[in-house]
Amino acid sequence: MESVVVIDFETTGLSPDHGDRATEIAAVLIRDGQIVAQYQSLMNAGRRIPAFITQLTGITDAMVRAAPPASQVMAEVADFVGDHPLIAHNASFDRRFWEAELRRIDRCPAQPFACSMLLARRLLPEAPNHKLGTLVEYARLPVTGRYHRAQADAEMAAHLTLYLEQHLIERFRLAAVTHPLLAEIQRTPKGRLETSLRRYASGHAGSATAAGHGRGGRKNSWSERS
DNA sequence: TGCCAGGCCCTCTTTAGGGCCTT
């Protein structure tokens, strides 16, 4: 897979539209099937942390008060991410905070997102459920730290992404797995996934190119959807 | 003090409702 970044936020709640703010972020850069760089920081957005969140994450008001300002952390992580496409577990959540926090520092978030949870629902429907912790245990992936902390969750989501990539390559004999392909898979209706992926694989035998970009303008079932 | 969301998916659906998943 080309370079992608897996991110994970810890926050004061569920909705940036209702005043919730990020308290911690981690970003893990994957390149050529390996984790090659990481960024992690608590951040101080000036919000009190609900007791429930402290119980869930272990992140306290004192920890956040001692952390760098959210504006500084978001600027640093935006530089770290650059133009790389992003992946997160339940990406609709992280995407809202990513966009909200970057807008606060006048940065323009433009990355495409893919979601490891939606991918796992498609590719591992037999898993007991599709919570990150359950999938880590199900796939026997390394537990890299405390759940509900950004660094550990981002690392485990990265390992899950690599596991899903390998699953795709072995099961469907794909020559390459790209971020656009992952985004396409999570949008494909469950009943059509097997057929569509096998058609995609046969159309890309021996190819090392990305989904939806067959040579010579050739289109396939994954191509040119926006 | 307690509450607040949103996108996706499945089905007993599609003119809807409820569960999952994230903090």
Side-chain angles (χ1 to χ4, degrees):
Chain A
M1 182 158 44
E2 82 279 30
S3 298
V4 298
V5 175
V6 181
I7 66 165
D8 187 80
F9 274 105
E10 305 305 318
T11 70
T12 62
L14 294 174
S15 177
D17 294 335
H18 286 75
D20 290 320
R21 295 293 305 274
T23 57
E24 185 180 38
I25 189 169
V28 174
L29 175 62
I30 296 175
R31 182 179 299 143
D32 298 329
Q34 290 191 321
I35 294 172
V36 296
Q38 304 195 35
Y39 176 95
Q40 177 276 332
S41 182
L42 289 159
M43 65 180 95
N44 184 359
R47 288 284 192 286
R48 283 201 60 219
I49 299 176
F52 167 72
I53 298 293
T54 295
Q55 192 172 22
L56 180 72
T57 66
I59 297 172
T60 64
D61 283 318
M63 290 164 67
V64 167
R65 271 198 303 271
S71 57
Q72 176 187 328
V73 171
M74 289 307 301
E76 288 174 359
V77 72
D79 289 340
F80 177 86
V81 169
D83 295 327
H84 292 113
L86 292 171
I87 293 174
H89 199 72
N90 197 10
S92 67
F93 172 85
D94 292 279
R95 181 176 202 159
R96 287 200 303 277
F97 279 94
W98 177 253
E99 293 177 350
E101 293 293 345
L102 286 182
R103 276 197 299 268
R104 288 178 174 274
I105 60 169
D106 296 323
R107 298 281 286 255
C108 185
Q111 284 89 356
F113 266 80
C115 176
S116 56
M117 183 193 75
L118 295 181
L119 286 166
R121 281 181 177 172
R122 284 283 173 273
L123 299 174
L124 305 174
E126 71 281 8
N129 62 57
H130 296 90
K131 295 177 183 177
L132 179 60
T134 302
L135 291 167
V136 165
E137 184 177 349
Y138 175 79
R140 298 180 179 180
L141 301 173
V143 177
T144 57
R146 174 181 175 153
Y147 286 108
H148 298 297
R149 286 299 301 266
Q151 176 90 41
D153 281 2
E155 284 183 37
M156 289 188 282
H159 285 297
L160 175 62
T161 299
L162 293 171
Y163 176 86
L164 294 173
E165 178 190 24
Q166 198 59 34
H167 178 88
L168 278 166
I169 289 171
E170 291 176 2
R171 180 172 164 192
F172 297 100
R173 298 184 178 183
L174 297 182
V177 175
T178 64
H179 191 278
L181 176 59
L182 296 180
E184 190 67 46
I185 289 170
Q186 69 186 46
R187 289 195 298 263
T188 301
K190 196 175 183 179
R192 282 172 33 203
L193 181 67
E194 190 92 8
T195 304
S196 297
L197 265 175
R198 294 204 182 285
R199 189 183 307 148
Y200 176 85
S202 63
H204 284 71
S207 168
T209 56
H213 297 281
R215 292 175 182 171
R218 178 182 173 277
K219 291 190 176 182
N220 54 51
S221 61
W222 301 96
S223 67
E224 313 304 326
R225 245 174 67 176
S226 59

